[in-house]
Amino acid sequence: MSQPFNTNAATPALREIDRSAGEFWVSNPWEFAIRRENLSGYERNAVFLNLGNARFANIGHLTTADNNGDGRTAIGCDITGDGRPELFVRQAGGGPLRIYRNRFPPAHYLTVSLQGSSSNRQGIGARVIAHLDKTTIRRELFPVANFLSQAPARLTLGLGQADRIRRLEIRWPSGIVQILKNVAVDRHLVIKETRATGQVTDTPTAHDSPSSSRISSQGTR
């Protein structure tokens, strides 16, 4: 099942529908909410909170994100610039798109965008490793692509109470490894792949968080 961009599109039923057997046909997927039909039996979405030690709690009802609109894609993206990604849910019914604002308590974070030179332009496939005082965070840049949706090509690292990253390591697809030390947090870093020693320049933009920096650093193979 797919959802056409033409909201007036209509697809006739392939055969006679047996309504006595519970069958139904919606010729235009945009009309699911109006027709009050649902492909998932009105099963509600779930939101799981990581409690640590391999334990999770379903907090869907508490977050109000447990709607029954037949969700097909869930993508996290920080559109408010506070390091707390919002939740985008693409649906087949109940409205094509729902956006849930992240109202969890604020914590430290770092958002990273990559600009490849020897590697691909957006650094797709790069591995970013943040070494904190008590833990290590590892992320790989592979933007999620799913039902009429795609995540942005950037990473947001949740750092908890850590107010500085002791060592930030970028392993590019080209094999180049960049090391940044004593990285300040709560900002958006745009890191350019390079072998030369560069500088850090604060360059806030309208689309980034209040503190946005462009960084080039020494790279090694």
Side-chain angles (χ1 to χ4, degrees):
M1 179 270 176
S2 62
Q3 189 163 5
F5 288 104
N6 179 5
T7 58
N8 295 317
T11 302
L14 301 179
R15 60 173 176 78
E16 184 177 356
I17 304 302
D18 185 358
R19 299 192 180 281
S20 64
E23 295 181 349
F24 67 89
W25 182 266
V26 178
S27 60
N28 185 336
W30 293 94
E31 297 179 355
F32 267 95
I34 300 173
R35 293 282 302 276
R36 298 184 180 279
E37 301 286 3
N38 191 285
L39 294 176
S40 62
Y42 296 97
E43 181 180 5
R44 291 192 171 275
N45 292 333
V47 179
F48 293 96
L49 176 66
N50 188 349
L51 302 177
N53 297 322
R55 296 182 302 124
F56 293 85
N58 186 354
I59 59 172
H61 177 70
L62 296 176
T63 63
T64 72
D66 64 334
N67 72 80
N68 59 4
D70 197 8
R72 296 306 177 93
T73 296
I75 286 178
C77 177
D78 179 15
I79 60 174
T80 56
D82 59 3
R84 293 176 288 177
E86 276 63 53
L87 182 64
F88 291 73
V89 179
R90 195 74 167 86
Q91 303 183 137
L97 180 66
R98 292 288 182 94
I99 303 175
Y100 297 94
R101 184 166 184 174
N102 192 331
R103 299 185 182 278
F104 274 82
H108 293 302
Y109 71 95
L110 181 71
T111 299
V112 176
S113 293
L114 302 177
Q115 292 184 358
S117 53
S118 298
S119 301
N120 61 80
R121 184 65 176 84
Q122 293 184 312
I124 305 300
R127 178 174 296 179
V128 176
I129 306 174
H131 299 272
L132 310 179
D133 288 336
K134 297 182 179 180
T135 189
T136 300
I137 299 174
R138 296 177 174 86
R139 296 288 185 271
E140 292 186 356
L141 184 57
F142 285 107
V144 174
N146 212 315
F147 176 68
L148 298 181
S149 307
Q150 182 171 350
R154 65 188 186 194
L155 297 171
T156 298
L157 309 179
L159 305 176
Q161 300 304 312
D163 58 3
R164 184 165 293 272
I165 296 176
R166 180 170 51 83
R167 173 187 169 100
L168 184 66
E169 183 177 333
I170 301 91
R171 295 184 171 270
W172 295 88
S174 65
I176 291 176
V177 178
Q178 287 179 255
I179 304 296
L180 305 175
K181 295 182 178 180
N182 297 320
V183 179
V185 300
D186 298 338
R187 56 176 176 165
H188 182 178
L189 295 186
V190 181
I191 303 176
K192 183 177 180 180
E193 181 182 19
T194 181
R195 296 177 182 276
T197 300
Q199 295 180 344
V200 179
T201 305
D202 288 334
T203 54
T205 70
H207 302 289
D208 296 332
S209 56
S211 178
S212 177
S213 301
R214 295 183 179 274
I215 289 183
S216 296
S217 70
Q218 186 173 6
T220 60
R221 278 188 181 271

